[in-house]
Amino acid sequence: MSYLLHIDSSSLGEASVSRQVAQSFLEGWDGEVVHRDLAAAAVPHISAAGVTARDTDPTRYTDEQAAAAALQDTLIEELLGAGAYLFTVPMYNLTLPSAFKAWLDQILVFGRTIGGSSPVAGRPAAVISARGGSYAPGAPRHGFDYVVPVLDALLGHEDMLGMDVTTVIPELTMAPHAPALAALLPKHEASMTDAHDRARALAATISGRTAAAA
């Protein structure tokens, strides 16, 4: 069985709810894990050198293009070598952490990982995305979630990476800390219990699936 690629992007370290739920997934994972922590070791934002290197003959690279291409190669080879994926992507200001977007911009390369049939199409991916409030149907801010729809498109759409994406959403994480949300604490606690349970079950399902495919 090939490895699980685990990408963390929360800035909060051990205090991160997304990371805590991901830990429940990892406890249920049976296999090798390759971990990249984008908060501890940030991937640089895509540069002009990185973009132009994609359409330049390597024999004509500048030093900057060579370095940018080497980084992209490393990240893409790490992506392609995995049989399954675990992404912790909390909501920051209604959307993705910039650290995760920077990683995506490095690995989304037309003709190599996207466009046509992606080499990672169909591989299972678990996304853990905590958020301080609720953006579910019926909530006052329903429709303001620009994390899950974006990831569904970039990770899951057939014209992009085409992964088989399942998202786990621990919500109302500000309820224990914000007096105005105190009445929502029971809903937060129920959401946390459900998220940890779903993460463990998802790990077992994906672990079994990748083992069977090996």
Side-chain angles (χ1 to χ4, degrees):
M1 180 174 63
S2 57
Y3 57 81
L4 173 77
L5 178 59
H6 175 200
I7 304 290
D8 268 323
S9 63
S10 172
S11 299
L12 292 178
E14 293 182 358
S16 163
V17 171
S18 295
R19 290 177 186 253
Q20 291 167 13
V21 174
Q23 187 58 41
S24 288
F25 181 100
L26 293 170
E27 290 169 0
W29 176 258
D30 180 20
E32 181 184 355
V33 177
V34 172
H35 181 219
R36 182 174 288 275
D37 189 337
L38 300 176
V43 168
H45 291 281
I46 193 72
S47 64
V51 173
T52 57
R54 296 172 180 179
D55 298 316
T56 300
D57 186 325
T59 63
R60 301 184 65 185
Y61 279 166
T62 65
D63 290 345
E64 291 79 8
Q65 287 176 320
L71 171 63
Q72 290 180 44
D73 287 345
T74 295
L75 297 175
I76 289 171
E77 288 167 9
E78 189 174 75
L79 174 81
L80 298 182
Y85 306 89
L86 172 62
F87 303 116
T88 62
V89 192
M91 177 184 283
Y92 285 177
N93 298 315
L94 303 181
T95 191
L96 312 176
S98 62
F100 193 78
K101 181 60 166 58
W103 177 80
L104 284 172
D105 288 341
Q106 296 285 0
I107 61 95
L108 294 173
V109 179
F110 189 81
R112 190 170 180 188
T113 60
I114 61 174
S117 180
S118 171
V120 300
R123 298 181 191 178
V127 174
I128 313 296
S129 181
R131 58 275 320 279
S134 176
Y135 300 82
R141 292 195 174 186
H142 175 57
F144 281 75
D145 180 352
Y146 299 101
V147 179
V148 173
V150 171
L151 293 179
D152 282 346
L154 295 178
L155 300 177
H157 194 278
E158 62 182 7
D159 290 335
M160 300 301 286
L161 292 176
M163 295 175 178
D164 182 5
V165 180
T166 303
T167 304
V168 177
I169 302 176
E171 62 179 13
L172 298 165
T173 62
M174 288 301 297
H177 312 290
L181 298 178
L184 298 174
L185 187 57
K187 289 187 176 181
H188 161 66
E189 292 171 344
S191 176
M192 289 296 296
T193 298
D194 179 67
H196 283 285
D197 288 346
R198 287 192 63 212
R200 294 185 191 98
L202 186 57
T205 298
I206 293 176
S207 181
R209 176 176 162 184
T210 54

